[in-house]
Structure formats: structure tokens, C-alpha cells
Amino acid sequence: MEIVNQAKMRSTEKDKVITLPKNAADMQRMKIEKLMSNPDKPVHIPDRPKSWKPKAPPEFVRDVMGSSAGAGSGEFHVYRHIRRREYNRQAYMNYEDKKQKLDDQFDAERQSNISAAEDKTAKKRAKRQRQKENRKRNAEKEEEEKVGKKRKPKVETVPEEEEEKSDKEKSDDEETEDYGPAITIKKAGT
């Protein structure tokens, strides 16, 4: 059995190597290594800063200067602060209004772009479907031609005398089974 001195095995301050970052990449690398050293530890992600909003105008103004008395030397500074707050509030309202208009304009433009893209996509989809159906129809026609399902038209030669048959006789001839269109060729001189 071997005796091991555990005190020597513990890491001491001397064993730790301190590295100083030389540039921004080293600083970033060190931060990532620190985060990844303990992945189970939750990381604090700060919330986005809230936008600044001015104080609402007071509902009841306490220090109202009367019309009968003259303004003292300190009243100008009070007036100046009230005026500055009011200007800031009005500037903020103008900024919010302009921001809202720009957001509405952006949303409207975005919606029109989306609808135009959908229309274009639908048109191309319909074109692809038509081409697919045409290819399928053409392939079926070629198959029929190869197999020989398509029948050749029946060709008859009829002399001129027989052409003048009555309608009754023609209707009797038409009762025969013909699969293709009948083509009549007149012979001259018979």
C-alpha cells in the first residue's frame, strides 16, 4: 500500500497561471472560457433598457405667480425649469408621433411587399402546374401513338353518281360502325 500526501496534491496559489489579455480577442476568449468552465451555472442576460419618458405635467400647480405681485428674483429660475420640462415633453411627443408614423409606413410597405411576393409566387405556381399538366398530356399522347390506339381515318372513294343518293339511303349507310372521321374523295370522270 502506498501512502499519498493529499496536502501536496491540492492546487495552490503558485500553480495557477495568471494570463493578462493583450487585445480584445483575448478578453473575449477569457470571458467565454469563464462561462464555459461551469455550463450549469445560469447566465444573467440583462433586459433591454427602457425608453426614456418625460414626467407627466402636474395636475395641480402649487407655485402659481399671481398677477398682482411682481416676480421675485427666484421666480425666473422656477419658470425656466417648468418651460424646459414642457419643451422636453413636447419634443418627446413629436418624436413618438414621428416614430409611430414611420412604423406604420414600414408595416404598410412590408405588407404590400409580402402580398406582391405571394401574388408572384402564386402566378409562378400556376405556370408550373400548367406546364406539368401539358407534359403529362403530351406523354399520354406519345404513349397512345406508340401503342397504336389511335385509329387511322377511313378513306372512301365515291363516284359522282352515288353522291346524289337520297338522304334516306345516306342515313342507312351511317348506321355502320365507324371509329374515325370519314373522308370522302370524289373521282373525276367516273
Side-chain angles (χ1 to χ4, degrees):
M1 179 176 218
E2 186 177 328
I3 299 173
V4 178
N5 189 352
Q6 293 179 354
K8 287 185 178 179
M9 292 183 70
R10 291 185 186 143
S11 62
T12 59
E13 297 286 329
K14 295 177 185 177
D15 293 343
K16 290 184 180 178
V17 178
I18 298 173
T19 56
L20 297 174
K22 295 179 182 175
N23 53 23
D26 287 344
M27 179 69 93
Q28 192 174 20
R29 181 181 48 78
M30 288 174 61
K31 286 181 180 179
I32 291 174
E33 285 176 358
K34 183 179 177 185
L35 282 173
M36 296 309 290
S37 65
N38 189 4
D40 296 333
K41 181 179 176 182
V43 178
H44 172 70
I45 300 173
D47 295 333
R48 293 185 70 182
K50 294 178 182 174
S51 62
W52 175 83
K53 189 174 182 181
K55 277 181 13 180
E59 292 180 16
F60 181 76
V61 180
R62 298 192 189 286
D63 298 323
V64 179
M65 292 174 266
S67 60
S68 63
S73 61
E75 301 300 326
F76 172 72
H77 302 293
V78 173
Y79 164 74
R80 190 181 62 177
H81 292 306
I82 292 171
R83 184 183 65 178
R84 184 189 45 131
R85 280 194 299 268
E86 183 63 19
Y87 285 164
N88 283 344
R89 190 179 71 81
Q90 288 178 358
Y92 174 76
M93 289 189 327
N94 290 340
Y95 167 77
E96 285 294 318
D97 185 45
K98 186 177 179 181
K99 182 180 174 185
Q100 185 65 33
K101 285 180 183 176
L102 288 173
D103 287 346
D104 292 343
Q105 180 184 358
F106 173 77
D107 288 340
E109 189 175 331
R110 184 172 177 265
Q111 287 299 330
S112 66
N113 287 345
I114 288 172
S115 63
E118 287 175 355
D119 293 344
K120 195 174 182 182
T121 304
K123 187 176 178 182
K124 287 184 178 182
R125 183 183 308 118
K127 183 178 178 182
R128 283 194 307 270
Q129 287 296 105
R130 283 195 309 270
Q131 289 175 344
K132 185 177 179 181
E133 290 170 5
N134 288 341
R135 283 194 301 265
K136 190 175 181 182
R137 205 174 311 123
N138 290 341
E140 288 174 359
K141 285 182 182 178
E142 288 176 6
E143 279 291 320
E144 287 178 2
E145 288 176 3
K146 286 181 183 177
V147 173
K149 287 185 178 178
K150 193 171 186 181
R151 301 188 187 266
K152 294 181 181 176
K154 199 174 186 181
V155 179
E156 294 180 9
T157 57
V158 181
E160 288 180 14
E161 299 162 358
E162 291 181 11
E163 255 182 52
E164 298 171 1
K165 284 184 185 177
S166 65
D167 291 334
K168 201 178 219 185
E169 293 175 1
K170 284 185 180 178
S171 64
D172 292 341
D173 289 341
E174 288 176 2
E175 291 176 8
T176 60
E177 291 184 23
D178 290 340
Y179 289 102
I183 300 173
T184 308
I185 300 173
K186 296 180 184 179
K187 287 186 176 180
T190 20

